[in-house]
C-alpha cells in the first residue's frame, strides 16, 4: 500500500492565522482525501482533492476556510484559514490506492490558542 | 442513509482475554468494510478489510473480522489481547466497486476505545 508523509505532525497556532498541511505520497494515486477528527470524535471527510481541478467539499466545509491544492498525483495541501479554537483537531490525509485500500497519513494535531 | 454504528464507546478487557468489538452498518450498495486502529496521537492504521469472498478475514496483529450480511455486521475479534492493543478502533464502510465515481468517501463509526488491564 501507499506510504504517506504528512507534515507538520503537530502545531500550535494563534487564532486568526492560517496553517498549511502537506501530504506527500510515494506513488501516484488518483484519489486523495482530507479528514478532520475533532477531539473525542470520529473522522469527518472535509473534501476530496482532485488533480487538475477544484476540490470537492462535503456539506459544512467551504473552500474559503479549507483551500486545497493538488498540483500532481503524489502531493496535496490543505490550508486551515483564519483559525479559531474550534479548528483544533487532528487533520488526516488519505489516499485510495490499488486494491481499493484506503491509507492514512499520521495526522497533524492542530491546537489553536 | 449510510451509517456505521459502533455501540460500545469504551471497553476494558484483561490482558490475555478475548475481545470482540461490534460494528453494524447501513449502506445502500455493496459495501467495502474496514477496521482501523488509532493509538494516542497517531494516525490510522488499517487492521483489515473485506471486499468480497470469504466472510472471515484475517488482519494484522492477530485480529480477524467476520462479515455477516444478514446482520449488517462486521465485528472485530482477537482471541488474546495484549497490553499494546490498547487504542481506539474505528469501523468504516466505503463504496464497493464504485471507485472513480462520486461516492468514494469512507464513512466512519464513532470508535471504540479499548483499555487493557494487566
Amino acid at each position: 500500500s501507499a506510504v504517506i508523509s504528512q507534515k507538520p505532525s503537530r502545531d500550535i497556532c494563534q487564532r486568526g492565522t492560517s496553517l498549511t498541511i502537506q501530504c506527500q505520497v510515494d506513488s501516484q494515486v488518483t484519489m486523495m482525501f482530507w479528514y478532520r477528527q475533532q477531539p473525542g470524535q470520529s473522522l469527518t471527510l472535509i473534501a476530496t482533492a482532485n488533480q487538475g481541478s477544484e476540490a470537492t467539499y462535503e456539506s459544512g466545509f467551504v473552500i474559503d476556510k479549507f483551500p486545497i491544492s493538488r498540483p500532481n498525483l503524489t502531493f496535496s495541501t490543505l490550508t486551515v484559514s483564519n483559525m479559531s479554537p474550534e479548528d483544533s483537531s487532528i487533520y488526516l490525509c488519505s489516499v485510495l490506492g490499488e486494491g481499493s485500500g484506503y491509507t492514512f497519513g499520521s495526522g497533524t494535531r492542530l491546537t489553536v490558542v | 442513509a449510510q451509517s456505521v454504528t459502533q455501540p460500545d464507546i469504551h471497553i476494558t478487557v484483561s490482558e490475555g482475554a478475548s475481545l470482540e468489538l461490534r460494528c453494524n452498518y447501513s449502506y445502500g450498495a455493496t459495501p467495502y468494510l474496514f477496521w482501523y486502529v488509532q493509538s494516542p496521537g497517531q494516525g490510522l492504521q488499517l487492521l483489515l478489510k473485506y471486499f468480497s469472498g470469504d466472510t472471515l478475514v484475517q488482519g494484522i496483529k492477530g485480529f480477524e473480522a467476520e462479515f455477516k450480511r444478514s446482520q449488517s455486521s462486521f465485528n472485530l475479534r482477537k482471541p488474546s489481547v495484549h497490553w499494546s492493543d490498547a487504542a481506539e478502533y474505528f469501523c468504516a464502510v466505503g463504496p464497493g466497486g464504485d471507485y472513480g465515481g462520486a461516492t468514494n468517501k469512507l464513512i466512519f463509526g464513532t470508535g471504540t476505545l479499548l483499555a487493557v488491564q494487566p
Side-chain angles (χ1 to χ4, degrees):
Chain A
S1 59
V3 176
I4 301 174
S5 174
Q6 185 176 339
K7 55 183 179 182
S9 59
R10 60 179 61 231
D11 207 341
I12 301 173
C13 300
Q14 297 290 323
R15 65 180 69 199
T17 63
S18 298
L19 175 71
T20 296
I21 303 167
Q22 299 180 359
C23 180
Q24 177 75 53
V25 191
D26 69 342
S27 58
Q28 293 186 341
V29 292
T30 303
M31 309 294 293
M32 293 184 75
F33 309 88
W34 287 98
Y35 285 85
R36 181 177 72 180
Q37 185 180 23
Q38 294 178 298
Q41 304 290 318
S42 186
L43 283 79
T44 301
L45 181 66
I46 298 171
T48 301
N50 305 308
Q51 195 269 329
S53 64
E54 278 195 0
T56 304
Y57 289 84
E58 297 295 305
S59 175
F61 297 96
V62 296
I63 188 171
D64 289 347
K65 177 66 176 177
F66 297 101
I68 288 171
S69 77
R70 179 87 194 272
N72 56 53
L73 292 175
T74 64
F75 187 77
S76 178
T77 67
L78 168 75
T79 298
V80 185
S81 302
N82 188 25
M83 288 184 285
S84 67
E86 292 70 35
D87 295 318
S88 298
S89 297
I90 299 174
Y91 294 85
L92 299 106
C93 72
S94 174
V95 302
L96 177 57
E98 290 191 16
S100 301
Y102 294 85
T103 303
F104 285 81
S106 55
T108 296
R109 181 179 293 273
L110 171 63
T111 301
V112 183
V113 297
Chain B
Q2 301 169 348
S3 66
V4 177
T5 301
Q6 292 181 248
D8 304 306
I9 297 173
H10 188 271
I11 284 181
T12 300
V13 300
S14 298
E15 190 169 15
S18 64
L19 171 71
E20 182 170 30
L21 302 183
R22 296 182 290 167
C23 173
N24 292 93
Y25 67 90
S26 173
Y27 204 78
T30 302
Y32 286 175
L33 295 156
F34 306 83
W35 274 100
Y36 288 88
V37 60
Q38 185 179 37
S39 298
Q42 303 295 313
L44 272 71
Q45 181 181 23
L46 179 66
L47 284 176
L48 48 77
K49 58 183 183 284
Y50 173 79
F51 292 161
S52 65
D54 192 344
T55 56
L56 184 63
V57 294
Q58 302 296 320
I60 62 172
K61 303 184 180 185
F63 285 93
E64 66 178 26
E66 185 170 12
F67 171 58
K68 293 185 178 180
R69 185 185 299 276
S70 62
Q71 298 177 19
S72 297
S73 70
F74 189 57
N75 294 347
L76 182 72
R77 301 193 294 247
K78 185 169 185 178
S80 178
V81 170
H82 188 262
W83 65 266
S84 60
D85 293 324
E88 188 149 26
Y89 292 80
F90 292 95
C91 180
V93 60
D98 190 30
Y99 296 106
T103 58
N104 286 293
K105 67 178 180 181
L106 284 180
I107 299 169
F108 283 85
T110 50
T112 298
L113 184 62
L114 173 66
V116 180
Q117 287 182 334

